[in-house]
Amino acid sequence: MNHSREFSNPEKEMVELRLEGVFNPTEFADCVVAFVGLITGVSEDISPMISASDWLISAEEGSTIIRATSNPEIQDSGEAVQKVSSMIYDGLAHLESSGSKDHQSNLVFSTKVLKHLRKMADLAI
């Protein structure tokens, strides 16, 4: 199966995962779990005050876009989501530019977060 995934978000006010291709149910579920793990893992790394309730997860109708945005019902969630989104996108850019041989790249994300990223990368092959 040919899969691809792309993180997109120029404004860094949300985290969006675009999936293309055909997935079996297990692969799709694993990717969604890894995506949520990435968001919650980076949130925990930034601040224990950022909770899962700061996020809303949505899927765009008729697509395979999974979007994580701030929960407007939670005070200051927008600021928290911007911090997390920025760290995710900046960290991904650093990992892409540094290459796999750069041991410093492991310092960008925690081991827990890297596990989720590897899972999504494995599904993109």
Side-chain angles (χ1 to χ4, degrees), residues 17-80:
L17 175 64
R18 295 174 182 262
L19 300 172
E20 294 180 10
V22 177
F23 297 83
N24 70 43
T26 301
E27 291 171 328
F28 183 79
D30 287 349
C31 194
V32 171
V33 167
F35 177 66
V36 172
L38 167 67
I39 293 163
T40 57
V42 172
S43 295
E44 291 169 3
D45 290 346
I46 288 177
S47 170
M49 301 303 291
I50 301 173
S51 71
S53 62
D54 284 313
W55 294 92
L56 292 177
I57 306 292
S58 62
E60 194 169 293
E61 186 175 338
S63 74
T64 51
I65 297 174
I66 302 167
R67 185 174 295 132
T69 59
S70 63
N71 184 345
E73 296 180 8
I74 305 295
Q75 185 177 357
D76 298 327
S77 69
E79 184 179 320

Side-chain angles (χ1 to χ4, degrees), residues 1 10 12 14 21-22 39 64 73 89 92 99 102 104 119:
M1 285 184 224
K12 297 183 181 174
M14 68 177 138
V22 177
I39 293 163
T64 51
E73 296 180 8
Y89 289 107
L92 289 171
D102 182 4
Q104 294 296 322
K119 184 65 169 179

